[in-house]
């Protein structure tokens, strides 16, 4: 499924980035950060239509030889970026949308936690981060 999942704050700093395998972590961080330019372009191209539009899924941001990068933006301008292996041809657009919806719901659960300070990095142990583990494996 996904090889990297990132949650990016409204001000474009990472709240959470998790990648599998760990040896390519720097490469995935680079891909996530370069995709933010494409996200900003898509958001500005939509303009005010994004406010009225219920669809938060941005679709394919850009493909590379080995990976495809997808994007999603919330109403509060928090961005989700997902990097998927290109060799997985069975993965369809509606499945990517479903993964983003699950990620958005999990992010909402984190924000509703009274012990979480908004804007802080999202910390979790690998064993207990069930909200992202199923997307990466």
């Amino acid at each position: 499924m996904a090889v990297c999942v990132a949650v990016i704050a409204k001000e474009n700093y990472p709240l959470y980035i998790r990648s599998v395998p760990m040896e390519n972590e720097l490469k995935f961080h680079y891909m996530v950060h370069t995709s933010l330019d494409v996200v900003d372009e898509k958001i500005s191209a939509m303009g005010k239509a994004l406010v009225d539009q219920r669809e938060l899924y941005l679709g394919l941001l850009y493909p590379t030889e080995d990976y495809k990068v997808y994007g999603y933006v919330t109403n509060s301008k928090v961005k989700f970026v997902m990097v998927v292996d290109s060799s997985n041809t069975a993965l369809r657009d509606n499945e990517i949308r479903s993964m983003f919806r699950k990620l958005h719901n999990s992010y909402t659960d984190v924000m509703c936690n009274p012990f979480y300070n908004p804007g802080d990095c999202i910390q979790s142990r690998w064993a207990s981060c069930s909200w992202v583990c199923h997307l990466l494996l």
Side-chain angles (χ1 to χ4, degrees):
M1 290 292 237
V3 292
C4 181
V5 174
V7 179
I8 309 296
K10 177 177 160 179
E11 296 83 15
N12 287 341
Y13 63 88
L15 294 172
Y16 184 86
I17 297 180
R18 174 72 66 176
S19 59
V20 176
M22 293 299 285
E23 61 266 5
N24 291 335
E25 188 171 16
L26 185 61
K27 177 181 179 178
F28 292 128
H29 282 240
Y30 178 75
M31 290 176 96
V32 166
H33 287 289
T34 56
S35 69
L36 293 178
D37 293 333
V38 180
V39 169
D40 289 339
E41 286 176 12
K42 285 196 173 205
I43 290 173
S44 64
M46 290 180 183
K48 294 186 179 184
L50 183 65
V51 176
D52 299 332
Q53 191 177 8
R54 301 259 184 234
E55 183 59 46
L56 304 172
Y57 176 65
L58 298 175
L60 180 66
L61 299 177
Y62 69 90
T64 65
E65 273 184 36
D66 302 321
Y67 303 103
K68 292 180 182 175
V69 182
Y70 292 90
Y72 184 95
V73 65
T74 67
N75 291 330
S76 59
K77 304 293 187 242
V78 173
K79 299 154 194 88
F80 299 139
V81 177
M82 191 176 304
V83 181
V84 178
D85 191 7
S86 289
S87 65
N88 189 356
T89 57
L91 196 60
R92 288 177 283 185
D93 205 44
N94 61 349
E95 293 167 344
I96 299 288
R97 285 177 197 256
S98 173
M99 287 193 289
F100 275 122
R101 276 191 220 108
K102 289 178 185 176
L103 184 61
H104 191 178
N105 289 338
S106 298
Y107 174 75
T108 303
D109 291 342
V110 170
M111 292 297 111
C112 291
N113 182 350
F115 300 107
Y116 177 75
N117 294 324
D120 288 351
C121 288
I122 300 171
Q123 300 291 327
S124 73
R125 292 184 201 110
W126 178 254
S128 66
C129 76
S130 60
W131 68 282
V132 173
C133 289
H134 71 277
L135 293 175
L136 293 173
L137 299 176

